[in-house]
Amino acid sequence: MNTEKIRTTDPAKPPSAVHFLGNLLTFRARAAQTDGKFSVAECITAPGAGSPYHTQQDEESFLIQEGNVEFTIDGKAILLGPQEFIYIKPGTPHLFRNIGETPAKMLIINMPGGFHEAFFDAVGEPVSGETAQFPPQTDPDFAFIAEAAIRNGIALLPPPRSNDH
């Protein structure tokens, strides 16, 4: 059989989740479950939080489920709300930021799977797989984050100039 049902909630083994820079990422499908084709993470982002500006080797897509998220794609700002979707081609500089006053929620799909999982496994703080509570923010170790990014096909970039959006 060429299909496999992947259960995303199992009380005996909750999905793995990490906190990173105000983002709670719960891995709903990992590369090991999809023959490396893709991975899916649910991301809850605190108000004002998001990702650093970066490029990556893999394809990435976002489906906004709750809240308003501003993406900066190649220096241009794009605002997305619930049920809106964006696809990021490999090598495209981008970041996202929750511009709302409440947590935003989105699904993130990476193809092929593995790169982002390995990055977040390296730099993220493990949390309960079903939490929506953000742990206290600590000062990030930027040198460690940059090294983990390089190992996983991600290049961190300086923030885009404010007059670009």
Side-chain angles (χ1 to χ4, degrees):
M1 184 172 213
N2 291 337
T3 61
E4 177 186 346
K5 180 177 177 181
I6 299 173
R7 195 172 169 88
T8 62
T9 54
D10 180 351
K13 185 179 181 211
S16 60
V18 297
H19 173 254
F20 179 67
L21 300 179
N23 298 285
L24 294 170
L25 292 114
T26 302
F27 298 99
R28 298 298 182 177
R30 286 187 167 265
Q33 298 167 304
T34 65
D35 292 329
K37 303 284 188 225
F38 65 93
S39 60
V40 178
E42 181 179 78
C43 180
I44 301 172
T45 302
S51 71
Y53 204 44
H54 66 283
T55 62
Q56 62 202 51
Q57 294 176 357
D58 57 331
E59 299 174 79
E60 188 166 45
S61 298
F62 298 83
L63 174 63
I64 310 306
Q65 296 177 302
E66 296 174 16
N68 292 296
V69 181
E70 181 181 74
F71 286 79
T72 300
I73 311 294
D74 212 6
K76 306 279 188 247
I78 301 168
L79 180 61
L80 296 177
Q83 303 312 307
E84 292 188 299
F85 179 86
I86 192 164
Y87 166 74
I88 313 286
K89 292 179 182 179
T92 304
H94 65 285
L95 63 75
F96 68 84
R97 184 172 59 90
N98 176 2
I99 62 167
E101 295 180 14
T102 60
K105 185 176 179 180
M106 57 189 158
L107 288 179
I108 303 172
I109 304 159
N110 291 95
M111 299 172 293
F115 293 113
H116 267 64
E117 293 170 43
F119 172 72
F120 287 119
D121 286 342
V123 300
E125 170 190 0
V127 294
S128 167
E130 298 301 329
T131 188
Q133 299 296 315
F134 295 94
Q137 187 68 31
T138 58
D139 290 333
D141 180 344
F142 289 112
F144 178 76
I145 293 168
E147 194 272 338
I150 289 167
R151 272 195 331 263
N152 291 289
I154 300 167
L156 300 178
L157 304 171
R161 294 190 319 259
S162 61
N163 63 356
D164 286 346
H165 16 283

